[in-house]
Amino acid sequence: GRVQALIALRDEAIATSGSYRHFAVRGARRFGHILDPETGAPRESAVVSVSVLAPTAMRADALATALFALGPERGFALAEREQLGVLFLLFDGDALHERANASFEHRRVPNAPMRSR
């Protein structure tokens, strides 16, 4: 794995939910293990992971899963409305892209060395 970001936390927690380890491929389509609450089935999504900052680890974990299930547009919009720090990792078929909001970026450690594990 690769470290995506280093975050400075104080009296808060971060949790990540994603399909980077548990997923299925059917033809050219990729499905994660988190179910769409509207259909009860996995859905194809560009979201690889969602990391959320929250006051407690339990809340961060629940929100990360919920935002992942909502997808990149509705999930990001909810994070903005709730003033949550959030980082979405999205795969467009060719490359991985970040979509972070200002609240997340504010806690990112600048110029932190990234390493692979």
Side-chain angles (χ1 to χ4, degrees), residues 19 21-33 42 44 91:
S19 63
R21 291 192 180 172
H22 302 288
F23 62 91
V25 176
R26 301 280 188 263
R29 301 173 70 192
R30 186 177 187 272
F31 297 89
H33 71 288
E44 187 175 19
F91 187 68

Side-chain angles (χ1 to χ4, degrees), residues 34-43 69 74:
I34 297 173
L35 303 180
D36 181 334
E38 294 173 345
T39 66
R43 79 169 161 206
R74 293 188 320 171

Side-chain angles (χ1 to χ4, degrees), residues 4-81:
Q4 195 67 34
L6 292 179
I7 304 299
L9 300 176
R10 182 179 202 131
D11 298 325
E12 60 189 337
I14 187 169
T16 301
S17 289
S19 63
Y20 48 90
R21 291 192 180 172
H22 302 288
F23 62 91
V25 176
R26 301 280 188 263
R29 301 173 70 192
R30 186 177 187 272
F31 297 89
H33 71 288
I34 297 173
L35 303 180
D36 181 334
E38 294 173 345
T39 66
R43 79 169 161 206
E44 187 175 19
S45 175
V47 180
V48 174
S49 71
V50 179
S51 297
V52 178
L53 302 166
T56 67
M58 184 182 294
R59 183 166 168 77
D61 184 48
L63 287 165
T65 301
L67 297 179
F68 184 97
L70 285 172
E73 298 308 320
R74 293 188 320 171
F76 197 85
L78 178 61
E80 287 287 275
R81 262 193 323 274

